[in-house]
Amino acid sequence: MKYNLQTGEFYSNVEDVEYATKYIKDVISIYEKPEVAEEVLEQVTYEVQVHNPHGEIEGALQFGTSRIKAGDINGEFFMTKGHMHEVANRAEYYLCLSGKGLLLLMDEERKTTAIDMSEQSICNIPGNVSHRLVNIGEEDLVVLACWNSDAGHNYEQIATEGFSVRVFKTENGYIIKEV
Ligand code: F6R
Ligand code: MN
């Protein structure tokens, strides 16, 4: 198997790769103002592909790509759902392949740090930290990730309490608003 560092695609004898597509309708509840036209709900907002040959084995690693489309919902930029790991102490590496984004990292005291992500930006996400990618650019934001196979995803806390900041479009770029 091969991995294209330009596009973030696995190719050639692709095995043990899982693909997931998120539509706006799947994640609309994460936005501050979720009122949108019916046809917007059917649009793709991000795609994930993950190579995990060993299943959820302690000590094993998985590796994948997240591709977040450019766009916004009533001025709030497209973003991932955001999560902490189910095994909360599991860390993760993110490496940006292309695009322009912010990586929001929120600790257990709800303090959020926004890390700039552009080509070649690399970030070590510590355990016990919620993380979300926000596409603040006009192209796809493509990010490679590597983390423990047994980490899992805990979406509950973010679904109920959200992050402590939101990122909105402005005339010249973006603004991070505390909520
Ligand atoms: C895995 C990880 C990424 C995300 C992906 C989608 O731990 O951080 O692969 O899962 O960027 O984001 P979520 O899972 O928040 O919808
Ligand atoms: Mn993660």
Side-chain angles (χ1 to χ4, degrees):
M1 191 173 61
K2 293 198 172 200
Y3 183 80
N4 183 324
L5 275 167
Q6 259 76 51
T7 64
E9 298 287 324
F10 293 97
Y11 68 101
S12 170
N13 302 321
V14 176
E15 277 173 22
D16 303 314
V17 178
E18 285 193 1
Y19 299 84
T21 301
K22 295 281 180 213
Y23 293 86
I24 300 285
K25 64 185 172 194
D26 301 322
V27 296
I28 191 65
S29 61
I30 64 178
Y31 291 94
E32 186 180 61
K33 292 186 180 146
E35 300 77 24
V36 288
E38 286 286 312
E39 58 267 26
V40 175
L41 293 173
E42 303 305 321
Q43 289 172 17
V44 173
T45 178
Y46 62 95
E47 293 164 324
V48 180
Q49 43 186 284
V50 180
H51 180 242
N52 182 9
H54 302 300
E56 294 180 13
I57 289 180
E58 188 179 340
L61 291 172
Q62 56 192 335
F63 172 98
T65 307
S66 303
R67 172 182 292 273
I68 299 97
K69 303 269 178 202
D72 66 277
I73 299 290
N74 295 314
E76 187 172 5
F77 284 114
F78 282 3
M79 56 190 167
T80 57
K81 274 166 83 171
H83 62 273
M84 195 139 111
H85 294 146
E86 204 167 307
V87 182
N89 68 3
R90 297 301 193 246
E92 184 162 10
Y93 262 107
Y94 274 8
L95 166 66
C96 184
L97 299 182
S98 62
K100 194 165 173 272
L102 292 176
L103 169 59
L104 302 181
L105 299 179
M106 185 170 76
D107 69 17
E108 287 166 308
E109 277 76 49
R110 295 186 57 74
K111 183 177 175 294
T112 301
T113 310
I115 315 276
D116 281 313
M117 295 296 273
S118 58
E119 193 179 340
Q120 299 186 2
S121 301
I122 188 162
C123 184
N124 179 299
I125 303 168
N128 299 295
V129 164
S130 299
H131 41 289
R132 162 178 281 169
L133 284 165
V134 184
N135 186 345
I136 56 170
E138 287 167 8
E139 312 287 330
D140 288 359
L141 171 66
V142 185
V143 174
L144 179 164
C146 186
W147 72 110
N148 284 119
S149 301
D150 68 345
H153 292 91
N154 176 354
Y155 292 108
E156 263 174 53
Q157 198 186 344
I158 293 304
T160 52
E161 295 167 26
F163 276 75
S164 60
V165 304
R166 289 182 176 277
V167 187
F168 294 93
K169 199 170 174 170
T170 62
E171 249 176 56
N172 316 317
Y174 69 91
I175 184 168
I176 302 174
K177 288 191 187 167
E178 297 217 357
V179 291

